[in-house]
Amino acid sequence: MNNNNILILGIESSCDDTSAAVLRNGILLSNITAGQKVHEAYGGVVPELASRAHQQNIIPVVDQAIQQAGIRKEELSAVAFTRGPGLLGSLLVGTSFAKGFATALNIPMVDVNHLQAHVLAHFIQQNEGDNDQPEFPFLCLLVSGGNSQIILVRAYNDMEVVGQTIDDAAGEAFDKCAKVMGLPYPGGPVIDRLAKDGNPQAFVLSKPHIPGYNYSFSGLKTSFLYLLRDRMKENSNFIEENKADLCACLQATIIDILMDKLRKAAKDLNVNEVAVAGGVSANSGLRQAFEEHAGKLCWNIHIPPFAFTTDNAAMVAMSGYFKYLHREFCSMEATPFSRVMV
Ligand code: KG4
């Protein structure tokens, strides 16, 4: 096989985004994502509707990714697809598509772990000469709607979860607290926007006391709920009148919880190369906290461009590229999995 011109098609369909991307030798040529507005009315992703939407979107999205990359599909070296974790029905659409596509073109298939892909998104080169990639070993804070983990990354295929949430994920805490305030789904970006005009010290919310590098967000959610319940008894307009302050306090507390453990892990493991990934890494407060830590603790920080924070196929193609270089292909019998640790 020729390693000078490796073209990888990536397919991502683990949740509610259908995405396809093309990478040439690790450099991004295209990254197309179709979101699914259908879930907004339900306040969360409806798995059955997600699978159907993937089925509708996948061919046009792949077509567009190949066109925008300016290549012919016959030039592709391999097709990489998200095998899990995620919603099984959604994953089946991407997996089945990848099998059909790889068979038709007679090229290998590479299966990709969605969580590892979020971490490896840091290696995507947006153009030639883009060399801002983390150095191994590095710590990655992976924060999304379904996960909150601190991962020690020793190599593209050697990742150790050193800490993780024992209950809710950070994104879930944003979304659930937003819901009780009557804000639309997903609540994370809305809280981020409203928090900009609020005072993060206006209210005190509880922080967990658990050992090691693990996280917990369920106590914070309950303390937020009790605060609203108690204050609403005195003033039924409490939420409306204090929305910005509530958002600022909630966001600041979530960030404090995340950074406290990350700082501890970085110190104990003696690592100063620190990255953040996943949907919550779009949060402006969290990005600012990373910048401040870089200044104070001399961390080399890696914050992904917004396009690579949420689910995207570029990160899947990137992971596929690493595996392709080591000839780690998967067989046609590969089936998706819904749950796994990195
Ligand atoms: O990685 P991701 O796209 O996929 C899932 O895990 O499903 O993460 C989505 C999560 C949601 O909980 C969303 O509220 C959160 O990321 N999120 C944010 C922001 N943008 C997305 N949370 C806080 N601030 C943001 N700006």
Side-chain angles (χ1 to χ4, degrees), residues 194 197-203 241-250:
L194 292 170
D197 301 319
N199 169 11
Q201 263 119 39
F203 308 103
E241 288 170 12
N242 295 277
K243 215 170 245 177
D245 285 351
L246 287 166
C247 290
C249 292
L250 179 69

Side-chain angles (χ1 to χ4, degrees), residues 15-17 114 118 143-147 170-172 174-175 185-189 192 251 278-280 282-284 309-311:
C15 190
D16 60 340
D17 289 308
H114 180 78
H118 269 300
V143 269
S144 67
N147 294 279
E172 227 174 330
F174 271 111
D175 295 342
Y185 176 86
D192 191 356
Q251 177 168 302
V280 180
N283 185 269
S284 57
T309 56
T310 47
D311 293 346

Side-chain angles (χ1 to χ4, degrees), residues 129-146:
D130 172 1
N131 54 8
D132 192 26
Q133 286 79 32
E135 278 178 25
F136 297 118
F138 66 95
L139 277 179
C140 186
L141 175 70
L142 174 57
V143 269
S144 67

Side-chain angles (χ1 to χ4, degrees), residues 7-8 12 31 33 37 39 44 54 59 97 133 145 202 211 219 225 233 301 304 316 322 329 341:
L7 280 162
I8 307 285
E12 158 62 31
N31 184 33
T33 302
K37 292 235 171 286
H39 307 288
H54 282 304
I59 304 264
F97 177 87
Q133 286 79 32
L225 205 65
K233 278 187 200 152
I301 55 163
V316 178
F322 277 122
F329 305 135
M341 302 296 171

